[in-house]
Amino acid sequence: MPKQVDHEERRRRIAEAVCALIDSQGLEGVTLRDVASRAEVSMGAVQRCFRTKDEMLRFALDHIGEQVTGRAHARLVAAPAQSAASAVGHVVGEVTLLREEHRAEARIWLAFLAAAAVNPSLAASLRSSYADLEGLLTRLVAEASGSVDARREARAALALADGLTGHVLIGQRTPEEAEELLHAHLARLWESG
């Protein structure tokens, strides 16, 4: 009897291998051979799961985007906020990837962000991830303050989150300074609303 292969589990393992390689070597360090070795599958198995390297990278990008978005949603469920305003803070805090345990995710996300500037298919995947987060934040901001442009503020919060993530990664800001800036921005938003 042939061995049953869980195709989605294999794709997920390959995505995690891609992300680990990006974290340690950058996007340019992702080769089919290294991905197969890291995922502990054959090169043929990688090729059966993904027709092209670009398809594999897009899947890995979507995988990491789903992790961040899923964590933001889980944070709202696991620790209900005292208000819609604090819910916005929880979500933006998760998206900013400032905690040490999310540093690898931050490096991977920003590597994909840089590559997306010249790769239209990665850019499309990133836009989809940002659209999901923007929708969630727009709903929360609208609930917290009906008098502000919720979509504009959600977009500003996401842009600030990415910028602060980058600043922390290069040592321009400490995680504590970044959190302070983030909280100050949100406090001004609620004062103006």
Side-chain angles (χ1 to χ4, degrees):
M1 179 176 228
K3 182 179 173 185
Q4 292 290 329
V5 174
D6 183 343
H7 191 67
E8 281 309 306
E9 170 62 20
R10 180 173 283 170
R11 287 170 61 90
R12 187 190 60 73
R13 275 188 26 217
I14 292 169
E16 288 173 359
V18 168
C19 290
L21 287 167
I22 291 171
D23 184 38
S24 65
Q25 301 173 29
L27 201 60
E28 59 281 349
V30 176
T31 66
L32 180 63
R33 182 178 312 283
D34 290 341
V35 169
S37 175
R38 180 73 66 122
E40 298 179 343
V41 298
S42 69
M43 287 178 43
V46 174
Q47 292 170 319
R48 283 188 295 280
C49 287
F50 302 102
R51 292 181 309 244
T52 65
K53 181 178 179 179
D54 192 57
E55 183 182 329
M56 181 179 66
L57 291 175
R58 281 194 326 271
F59 185 83
L61 172 57
D62 292 344
H63 175 72
I64 198 139
E66 288 166 6
Q67 286 181 320
V68 173
T69 303
R71 199 170 49 247
H73 282 285
R75 172 88 187 263
L76 293 175
V77 172
Q82 300 299 315
S83 68
S86 61
V88 172
H90 291 328
V91 170
V92 174
E94 287 297 332
V95 171
T96 308
L97 303 172
L98 296 177
R99 292 194 299 273
E100 184 63 38
E101 66 265 24
H102 299 140
R103 207 58 47 85
E105 252 178 14
R107 286 188 295 269
I108 296 161
W109 185 258
L110 290 181
F112 274 124
L113 184 64
V118 294
N119 182 320
S121 65
L122 289 178
S125 288
L126 271 174
R127 285 192 302 272
S128 177
S129 288
Y130 281 124
D132 291 344
L133 289 168
E134 183 181 310
L136 173 62
L137 281 171
T138 298
R139 287 189 301 278
L140 292 171
V141 171
E143 186 180 323
S145 173
S147 63
V148 300
D149 182 341
R151 176 178 270 177
R152 183 190 72 218
E153 294 303 336
R155 289 175 174 168
L158 286 174
L160 180 60
D162 272 354
L164 289 173
T165 300
H167 282 218
V168 168
L169 284 180
I170 66 168
Q172 178 71 19
R173 300 274 172 260
T174 67
E176 296 76 22
E177 289 172 327
E179 281 188 30
E180 184 180 309
L181 288 167
L182 187 61
H183 291 302
H185 171 77
L186 293 175
R188 280 191 302 276
L189 170 62
W190 308 132
E191 289 170 6
S192 68

